Amino acid sequence: MLPAVNSIEQRRRRISLALAVLLLVGGCDRRTQTNQQSRPQSREASGLQTLTGRVIAIADGDTITILDSANTQQRIRLEGIDAPESHQAFGEQSRLSLSEMIFGKDVSVSYQKVDQYGRLVGKIILEGKDINLEQVKAGMAWHYKFYEDEQTPEDRELYDRAEAEARAARRGLWQDPNPTEPYQFRKEEKRERQLSR
């Protein structure tokens, strides 16, 4: 009689354990779904998406924050361009250029990717104008060729041409005969930090 009681008790424990695991997995799955609904999805999961909002902050010449219709702040990294870092030559001018164009205004953002820092990577449109391209035209950013495969062929061509024209006219950062690309600037800063440890 005792072995039968142990067998029943073992079955109850297994069933309780199985139920606990199912509840835990179900709860985690629901939390994941909720987080995915409140956070814009990545390019792989969703394709091109659009978001609108008011520009409330300009971090530098290629990063902004908007307040969307749900009163949620969204950080945006401008697709296809790389602006000077804020403490780099022309960094402040680049930030001011972007600020003068869009700060406090309602913009549309077309995006299909979230970067490693949680920022949406997209094209900013104001009154039908591609603001990312305007930064390149003004000589306030490079066409970011490292990520050009994420652009449409038409945008790649437009951004390339805009950079070449700004360079030839010596607009903005092109006044410097040999400006350092932000990517290279960040790489050198990282190397210097590592050497100083």
Side-chain angles (χ1 to χ4, degrees), residues 114-159:
V114 177
D115 73 7
Q116 64 189 13
Y117 305 107
R119 301 174 300 187
L120 303 179
V121 179
K123 186 193 298 187
I124 310 298
I125 305 294
L126 174 66
E127 298 170 356
K129 203 180 263 190
D130 177 347
I131 299 302
N132 307 27
L133 180 60
E134 292 302 311
Q135 277 286 85
V136 177
K137 283 181 179 179
M140 294 297 160
W142 277 259
H143 175 210
Y144 204 178
K145 293 178 178 61
F146 188 76
Y147 291 104
E148 71 180 357
D149 62 326
E150 295 176 359
Q151 294 180 288
T152 64
E154 295 81 14
D155 279 352
R156 255 180 261 149
E157 187 179 324
L158 283 170
Y159 284 50

Side-chain angles (χ1 to χ4, degrees), residues 80-132:
I81 73 171
D82 201 11
E85 296 298 314
S86 55
H87 52 286
Q88 183 180 356
F90 277 93
E92 184 59 15
Q93 292 94 320
S94 179
R95 187 187 71 76
L96 287 172
S97 168
L98 187 57
S99 183
E100 287 171 6
M101 284 190 272
I102 63 173
F103 183 75
K105 298 180 180 170
D106 293 323
V107 298
S108 171
V109 182
S110 298
Y111 69 95
Q112 55 187 347
K113 175 182 168 182
V114 177
D115 73 7
Q116 64 189 13
Y117 305 107
R119 301 174 300 187
L120 303 179
V121 179
K123 186 193 298 187
I124 310 298
I125 305 294
L126 174 66
E127 298 170 356
K129 203 180 263 190
D130 177 347
I131 299 302
N132 307 27

